[in-house]
């Protein structure tokens, strides 16, 4: 096992495109770190740099106290699980898992012991003589993980390993990967674009956007206190409602003092239909219901703001809010009708405030 430390890591491709713009973070020994962000944000590039599959333009990558910038991938003591499994189709499950150990010259009894142990952990014992074409997608992914486990590496690297699986199998495999990592107590770095996957797996969540890290923290901390509007809208399903507001409308949040323009945020689950905001500085919005989504134990109500009568009680003087969509999460399946005019409210304690450019989280005075 080992910790992984990235210090001002950068990647610039020929032609000047800067894919990674100075990334710093540390993953402690035995921790599960998830890199999450939209396609093209640089998360897979960063993972491949840790693996040694991409060269580093600047900065340092430290694995277990050793800077590995110039170390070959095979000598970094890491094991990687790829999105497409990367199994040898002509080899049995046993031989797929044993292949890398044979290349290292390991003794046959040790190879057999490691493969049998990995097969036991992953419940592949009855499939060791099958070929990959005889396996389901989930079974192939378990073989790919088994091939990583037998290496007994210092660090596991996962590059969107579940993206080729159907929704039900993704949930099951997500649970299995987390249980496996905890059992083995090996440091892991996992890349995904799925924020739900990221939230449920991570000890440390690294949210990336445009080659930079937007926020690092535990999943619950990132969800409860997003550092930017990008994080606020990316982490959470449905995403946080973000409402641009003029300075005058924010005077109530600034203790009555003059305030600059900003962006007010509120989670869909913090809005209540037909309730008055609790205490001074709460939020009240008039909405026209545009769509309803019933998803079993809860319902999502999509409403549109707009209209001269709409006000926010965060304002020192009532003012009109910009037109836009607001999502409300309602427990159960009871919801207003499409086209109905409703009022929703949230207490001051549930509100989030960001700078007008969305790059800074601002404190809401008590």
């Amino acid at each position: 096992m080992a910790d992984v430390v990235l210090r001002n890591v950068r990647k610039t491709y020929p032609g000047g495109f800067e894919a990674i713009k100075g990334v710093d973070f540390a993953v402690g020994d035995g921790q599960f770190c998830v890199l999450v962000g939209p396609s093209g944000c640089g998360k897979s590039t960063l993972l491949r740099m840790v693996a040694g599959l991409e060269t580093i333009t600047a900065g340092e990558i430290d694995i277990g106290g050793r800077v590995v910038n110039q170390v070959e991938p095979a000598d970094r003591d890491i094991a990687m699980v790829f999105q497409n499994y990367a199994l040898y189709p002509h080899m049995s499950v046993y031989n797929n898992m044993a292949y890398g150990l044979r290349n290292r010259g390991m003794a046959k009894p040790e190879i057999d012991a490691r493969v049998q142990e990995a097969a036991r952990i992953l419940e592949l014992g009855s499939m060791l003589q099958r070929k990959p074409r005889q396996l389901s997608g989930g079974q192939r992914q378990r073989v790919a993980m088994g091939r990583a486990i037998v290496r007994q590496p210092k660090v596991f690297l996962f590059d969107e390993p579940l993206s080729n699986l159907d929704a039900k199998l993704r949930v099951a495999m997500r649970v299995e990967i987390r249980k496996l990592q905890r059992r083995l107590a090996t440091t892991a770095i996992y890349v995904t674009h799925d924020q739900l996957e990221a939230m449920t797996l991570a000890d440390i969540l690294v949210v990336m956007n445009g080659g930079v890290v937007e926020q690092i923290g535990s999943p619950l901390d990132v969800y409860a206190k997003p550092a930017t509007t990008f994080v606020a809208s990316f982490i959470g399903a449905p995403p946080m409602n973000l409402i641009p507001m003029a300075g005058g409308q924010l005077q109530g949040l600034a203790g009555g003092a003059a305030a600059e323009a900003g962006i007010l945020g509120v989670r869909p689950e913090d809005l209540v239909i037909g309730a008055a905001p609790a205490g001074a500085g709460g939020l009240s919005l008039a909405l026209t219901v545009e769509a309803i989504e019933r998803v079993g134990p809860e319902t999502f109500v999509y409403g549109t703001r707009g209209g001269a009568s709409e006000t926010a009680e965060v304002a020192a003087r009532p003012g009109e809010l910009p037109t836009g969509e607001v999502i409300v999460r309602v427990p159960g399946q009871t919801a207003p009708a499409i086209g109905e005019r409703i009022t929703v409210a949230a207490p001051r304690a549930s509100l989030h405030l960001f700078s007008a450019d969305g790059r800074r989280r601002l404190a809401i005075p008590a």
Side-chain angles (χ1 to χ4, degrees):
M1 296 186 292
D3 53 4
V4 179
V5 181
L6 281 71
R7 304 184 187 97
N8 195 30
V9 172
R10 297 177 179 271
K11 175 66 177 180
T12 303
Y13 287 101
F17 173 66
E18 194 175 13
I20 304 294
K21 304 173 183 178
V23 168
D24 295 271
F25 66 85
V27 185
D29 192 0
Q31 288 189 315
F32 199 117
C33 173
V34 177
L35 308 181
V36 65
S39 297
C41 72
K43 56 189 184 296
S44 289
T45 299
L46 196 59
L47 189 77
R48 290 172 64 84
M49 291 164 76
V50 174
L53 303 178
E54 291 274 2
T55 57
I56 299 172
T57 304
E60 289 184 345
I61 294 178
D62 183 311
I63 299 177
R66 178 178 64 149
V67 176
V68 298
N69 292 27
Q70 306 302 322
V71 177
E72 291 296 318
D75 298 323
R76 295 192 180 197
D77 204 2
I78 56 93
M80 192 161 181
V81 180
F82 295 91
Q83 178 178 341
N84 62 356
Y85 318 136
L87 302 178
Y88 297 107
H90 62 288
M91 291 185 183
S92 66
V93 168
Y94 184 101
N95 287 331
N96 262 284
M97 290 197 284
Y99 183 74
L101 303 182
R102 287 176 182 149
N103 282 350
R104 292 183 165 200
M106 186 175 289
K108 187 175 180 179
E110 178 65 14
I111 292 174
D112 186 67
R114 290 195 183 192
V115 171
Q116 294 293 344
E117 175 63 11
R120 183 190 66 78
I121 291 172
L122 296 167
E123 299 182 359
L124 292 170
S126 63
M127 306 173 193
L128 288 176
Q129 300 310 313
R130 295 187 192 179
K131 301 289 178 63
R133 66 177 178 273
Q134 298 172 299
L135 305 177
S136 68
Q139 289 166 342
R140 292 179 193 177
Q141 191 56 271
R142 279 190 281 159
V143 175
M145 288 192 289
R147 187 173 53 191
I149 290 170
V150 297
R151 294 273 307 277
Q152 297 182 1
K154 289 181 179 178
V155 180
F156 284 129
L157 304 178
F158 296 89
D159 190 7
E160 303 208 43
L162 307 184
S163 59
N164 289 334
L165 305 180
D166 62 59
K168 182 178 179 181
L169 193 53
R170 281 177 70 108
V171 173
M173 288 302 299
R174 189 168 71 217
V175 173
E176 290 304 314
I177 287 175
R178 194 62 175 106
K179 286 165 57 179
L180 177 65
Q181 190 271 339
R182 283 178 174 155
R183 185 183 310 166
L184 299 175
T186 303
T187 307
I189 301 178
Y190 186 106
V191 161
T192 182
H193 63 273
D194 185 329
Q195 58 90 19
L196 180 59
E197 203 167 277
M199 290 285 291
T200 54
L201 284 172
D203 295 318
I204 302 171
L205 197 59
V206 179
V207 185
M208 296 189 64
N209 182 34
V212 301
V213 172
E214 293 267 340
Q215 189 169 357
I216 301 173
S218 73
L220 292 181
D221 284 345
V222 172
Y223 185 83
K225 295 184 177 180
T228 66
T229 53
F230 172 81
V231 176
S233 59
F234 191 82
I235 300 297
M240 181 182 289
N241 298 297
L242 298 171
I243 307 170
M245 302 187 75
Q249 293 172 314
L250 290 173
Q251 286 183 11
L253 292 179
E260 298 179 0
I263 298 174
L264 195 65
V266 59
R267 294 280 183 195
E269 62 268 27
D270 291 327
L271 288 167
V272 178
I273 295 177
L283 178 68
S284 179
L285 298 173
L287 305 176
T288 300
V289 178
E290 299 287 347
I292 301 291
E293 283 185 344
R294 291 182 171 85
V295 289
E298 57 192 9
T299 299
F300 302 140
V301 177
Y302 293 78
T304 302
R305 303 189 311 270
S309 63
E310 183 179 65
T311 62
E313 292 192 17
V314 296
R317 301 184 303 275
E320 187 177 344
L321 292 170
T323 300
E325 185 179 74
V326 170
I327 306 173
V328 185
R329 177 182 282 166
V330 181
Q333 298 185 356
T334 303
I338 293 176
E340 185 177 342
R341 190 74 169 165
I342 62 172
T343 299
V344 298
R348 179 192 184 96
S350 297
L351 302 181
H352 305 257
L353 185 60
F354 304 92
S355 59
D357 62 5
R359 297 299 306 159
R360 292 179 296 117
R361 179 182 180 85
L362 303 177
I364 297 179

